């Protein structure tokens, strides 16, 4: 059997799997499953990307730019948009843009910029939160995305989801019972399947641990349309990020009183999901860095994020 014939057979098999998955998951809750009305997820585009990947990629690294679940917040009044990447201030971005669009209603209902979004105001009332194709939309002068060190992002998510949340929900993190290597092995296999187009339903954990380059409709061209803010792990670096964000708001015409209020609240509080600076975060981080298998799997999952966003990789390069 020639290589071309084998690839044709493989692609045909994948098409059958995709069709079965689509027929099943399209009937499920749209908020839980990732199948959406988006041409990036059409059979044509999925199979084209799968075909290209199977022909060109022999690397064990999880590839970048895989079409994934992307949500955005927008403020047409200020010509601003932002992509929300889980574990990268996504709750704060949702609240911030809601406040920019409906400041009186937001404040009247007692919402905080750093507390989980309440149901007093619907997402639809706040803004066009689930607007699509922001990466190519010329309506917004600035398109923001917040990035952070990929391993630190995973560590933050692991402590929050696999330790704190798992205390009350033992099914979190695939029932791995706080075993980081167990979680990483599961995620690596799942991410390979997603990248190959063989898994179309995304788990709660997938959404929090997926590579950053999978969000925001990023590809090698659209990524150039974003302005990135780096969220560091120290209080000093985080304060710098907040100041940079306030400067962007100022340039876009947000009034000084609003900026002052936002700056004070963000500087004084953190979200309940934040693990930065905690004792458990420090302990788990030390254990992670001393575990060769954990670091090997982190390298396989996140090395391309370090390359895409030009961040210094902690992994030894061969």
């Amino acid at each position: 059997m020639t290589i071309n014939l084998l690839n044709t057979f493989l692609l045909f098999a994948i098409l059958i799997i995709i069709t079965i998955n689509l027929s099943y998951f399209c009937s499920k809750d749209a908020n839980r499953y990732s199948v959406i009305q988006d041409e990036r997820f059409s059979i044509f585009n999925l199979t084209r990307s799968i075909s290209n990947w199977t022909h060109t990629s022999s690397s064990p690294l999880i590839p970048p730019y895989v079409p994934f679940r992307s949500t955005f917040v927008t403020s047409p009044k200020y010509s601003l948009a932002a992509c929300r990447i889980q574990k990268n201030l996504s709750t704060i971005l949702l609240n911030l843009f809601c406040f920019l669009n409906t400041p009186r209603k937001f404040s009247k209902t007692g919402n905080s910029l750093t507390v989980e979004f309440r149901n007093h105001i619907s997402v639809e009332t706040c803004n066009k939160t689930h607007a699509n194709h922001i990466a190519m939309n010329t309506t917004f002068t600035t398109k923001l995305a917040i990035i952070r060190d990929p391993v630190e992002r995973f560590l933050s998510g692991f402590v929050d989801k696999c330790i704190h949340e798992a205390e009350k929900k033992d099914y979190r993190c695939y029932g791995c019972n706080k075993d980081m290597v167990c979680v990483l092995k599961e995620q690596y296999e799942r991410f390979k399947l997603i990248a190959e187009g063989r898994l179309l339903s995304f788990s709660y954990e997938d959404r929090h641990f997926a590579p950053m380059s999978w969000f925001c409709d990023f590809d090698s061209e659209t990524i150039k349309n974003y302005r990135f803010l780096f969220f560091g792990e120290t209080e000093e670096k985080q304060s710098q990020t907040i100041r940079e964000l306030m400067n962007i708001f100022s340039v876009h015409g947000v009034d000084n009183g609003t900026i002052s209020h936002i700056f004070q609240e963000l500087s004084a509080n953190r979200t309940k999901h934040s693990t930065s600076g905690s004792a458990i975060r420090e302990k788990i981080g030390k254990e992670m860095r001393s575990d060769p298998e954990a670091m090997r799997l982190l390298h396989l999952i996140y090395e391309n994020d370090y390359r895409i966003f030009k961040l210094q990789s902690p992994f030894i390069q061969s």
Side-chain angles (χ1 to χ4, degrees), residues 239-298:
S239 295
Q240 180 180 345
T241 303
I242 294 173
R243 288 193 294 270
E244 290 177 9
L245 183 59
M246 296 307 101
N247 288 336
I248 292 172
F249 285 173
S250 179
V251 168
H252 280 261
V254 180
D255 66 89
N256 291 335
T258 298
I259 290 175
S260 178
H261 171 76
I262 293 173
F263 180 78
Q264 289 176 10
E265 187 162 349
L266 293 187
S267 298
N269 303 296
R270 64 175 66 189
T271 71
K272 72 174 184 178
H273 300 297
S274 175
T275 64
S276 181
S278 66
I280 185 66
R281 167 81 175 268
E282 184 176 353
K283 176 180 180 294
I284 297 298
K286 287 181 179 179
E287 293 173 355
M288 175 188 74
R289 291 178 178 85
S290 64
D291 187 328
E293 181 63 3
M295 294 304 288
R296 183 185 74 84
L297 290 163
L298 286 165

Side-chain angles (χ1 to χ4, degrees), residues 36 72 83 85 125 131 140 161 204 227 235 262 274 315-316:
I36 58 175
F72 305 86
C83 170
I85 301 175
T125 299
F140 305 99
K161 308 304 175 187
Y204 178 83
R227 174 167 178 176
E235 186 173 328
I262 293 173
S274 175
F315 307 112
I316 298 174

Side-chain angles (χ1 to χ4, degrees), residues 208-227:
H208 287 86
F209 297 138
M212 292 183 292
S213 65
W214 287 18
F215 290 85
C216 309
D217 291 341
F218 285 145
D219 60 35
S220 59
E221 291 301 318
T222 60
I223 199 168
K224 300 172 185 177
N225 298 333
Y226 281 87
R227 174 167 178 176

